[in-house]
Amino acid sequence: MKVVFERPKTLLEKPFTYCPGCHHGLAQRLIAEVIEELGIADRTIGVGPIGCSVYIYEFIDVDFVVGAHGRAPAIATGIKRSLPDRIVFSYQGDGDIAAIGTAEIIHAANRGELITAFFVNNAVFGMTGGQMAPTTLLGQKTKTTPLGRDPQVHGFPFRLGECLSVLEGSAYIARVALTRPQFIRQAKECIRKAFLTQMEGEGFSLVEVLSPCPTNWGMSPKEAVDWLEEKMIPYFPLGELKVKGCDSREAP
């Protein structure tokens, strides 16, 4: 009998512990699948942050280091420079990578560090209870913006991918979502391209994954998926923002 679908061996046999409707589990499965298909599990090192994203080390069977809040790109840089034959990636939430860790990710990209970053954007600080994040949308209500995000008070949502795409050292920047089967297929291809960009020595790579947070958004999983597509994607458009120096918003 031909096997058409199975659990990747790099994904540990442990139930995901994320909130119902969260897409961390989907994102991490795709990363595990690509690592296995590329045959790089034995030389891959992941760097976890602070936040919901940190639990990735419990689910993917590769070596992991956990860094201080926001410092994953700096730690990944040190590992890659010390062990250049390894495939090194960070896996970070929007609070970690786009708030306290903004300097680390921008300068890692600008230097063209041969690392790959995965950025899960759910427009809120998830682990700490639902406060406003740099990516919180205008008008979006959070624990710290109960009347909605006001640009005159809180500024505008931060588009990290667009910021990194203009830097000389970045080679591959993409934004994906996991709300539909076709989006999942596109996301997996972007994850593959990001790893190959590192493996081929082209420069820094990052894939941003838009994810719902039903718990902190106060929605059902279905409502959260609909809200992501209706509100987040128009502000954070999907596609490849940079491919080795040429800009494109078309999904692969």
Side-chain angles (χ1 to χ4, degrees), residues 106-128:
I106 287 178
H107 288 289
N110 193 52
R111 293 192 304 267
E113 298 292 347
L114 295 179
I115 60 175
T116 299
F118 297 107
F119 160 31
V120 181
N121 176 3
N122 58 17
V124 74
F125 286 171
M127 177 173 275
T128 55

Side-chain angles (χ1 to χ4, degrees), residues 28-209:
Q28 290 172 22
R29 181 189 169 97
L30 293 179
I31 293 170
E33 286 182 0
V34 171
I35 288 173
E36 181 168 302
E37 291 168 8
L38 292 176
I40 58 174
D42 61 342
R43 59 192 183 102
T44 295
I45 301 174
V47 183
I50 302 300
C52 301
S53 309
V54 70
Y55 293 113
I56 187 173
Y57 70 81
E58 293 191 348
F59 306 116
I60 298 183
D61 191 16
V62 299
D63 290 333
F64 270 99
V65 175
V66 176
H69 203 2
R71 312 308 176 214
I75 294 171
T77 295
I79 294 171
K80 183 68 176 185
R81 291 192 178 198
S82 300
L83 301 168
D85 61 324
R86 302 300 199 271
I87 309 302
V88 183
F89 74 92
S90 69
Y91 183 87
Q92 304 173 256
D94 47 0
D96 189 80
I97 200 172
I100 192 170
T102 312
E104 279 73 14
I105 197 66
I106 287 178
H107 288 289
N110 193 52
R111 293 192 304 267
E113 298 292 347
L114 295 179
I115 60 175
T116 299
F118 297 107
F119 160 31
V120 181
N121 176 3
N122 58 17
V124 74
F125 286 171
M127 177 173 275
T128 55
Q131 298 89 347
M132 186 190 78
T135 52
T136 296
L137 298 181
L138 296 180
Q140 183 179 348
K141 295 180 180 180
T142 71
K143 291 289 180 62
T144 49
T145 58
L147 301 179
R149 181 171 188 164
D150 181 348
Q152 300 300 317
V153 178
H154 310 109
F156 293 87
F158 183 35
R159 293 187 179 102
L160 179 63
E162 283 80 352
C163 178
L164 299 182
S165 68
V166 302
L167 301 177
E168 294 291 340
S170 62
Y172 185 78
I173 308 291
R175 183 183 291 120
V176 302
L178 304 173
T179 53
R180 303 184 184 188
Q182 66 266 38
F183 289 171
I184 293 173
R185 290 193 295 270
Q186 291 164 0
K188 184 174 179 179
E189 183 59 25
C190 289
I191 291 169
R192 182 188 305 277
K193 288 183 178 181
F195 275 124
L196 290 174
T197 296
Q198 177 182 168
M199 295 166 68
E200 294 168 4
E202 295 177 354
F204 174 87
S205 56
L206 176 141
V207 177
E208 177 180 349
V209 182

